[in-house]
């Protein structure tokens, strides 16, 4: 496991929302998925993309504003 100072340097704590997502993506998911993390995240991303088809950048921006917040910009 990484030292706490390394973890703090890795995370860009700009808001509680982005901190939570970075914590899950960069630390928790790799611990759970182990060496298969890249393949499983790729598969999950494809599944999400099929479930929520978005055709334009505007649709993507609107979709991402929900979990990320209004500060999201493309």
């Amino acid at each position: 496991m990484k030292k706490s100072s390394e973890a703090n340097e890795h995370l860009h704590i700009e808001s509680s929302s982005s901190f939570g997502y970075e914590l899950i993506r960069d630390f928790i998911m790799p611990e759970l998925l182990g060496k298969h993390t890249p393949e499983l995240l790729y598969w999950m991303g494809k599944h999400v993309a099929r479930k929520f088809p978005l055709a334009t950048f505007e649709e993507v921006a609107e979709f991402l504003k929900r979990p990320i917040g209004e500060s999201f910009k493309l």
Side-chain angles (χ1 to χ4, degrees):
M1 183 158 201
K2 292 185 178 186
K3 296 178 185 175
S4 62
S5 62
E6 291 177 30
N8 288 338
E9 290 174 13
H10 181 71
L11 293 175
H12 304 287
I13 304 172
E14 296 173 7
S15 71
S16 61
S17 176
S18 67
F19 172 74
Y21 288 110
E22 288 187 29
L23 181 66
I24 291 169
R25 181 191 67 219
D26 297 338
F27 296 99
I28 296 172
M29 293 301 288
E31 284 292 319
L32 291 172
L33 302 175
K35 68 179 183 175
H36 303 291
T37 299
E39 295 87 358
L40 290 169
L41 291 178
Y42 173 77
W43 175 83
M44 287 186 259
K46 283 179 65 173
H47 182 73
V48 168
R50 288 180 180 139
K51 186 169 181 125
F52 301 99
L54 304 169
T56 66
F57 284 120
E58 291 78 20
E59 289 177 346
V60 172
E62 280 302 311
F63 180 78
L64 292 176
K65 280 183 184 177
R66 291 180 213 158
I68 295 175
E70 293 296 321
S71 63
F72 176 77
K73 292 181 179 30
L74 284 177

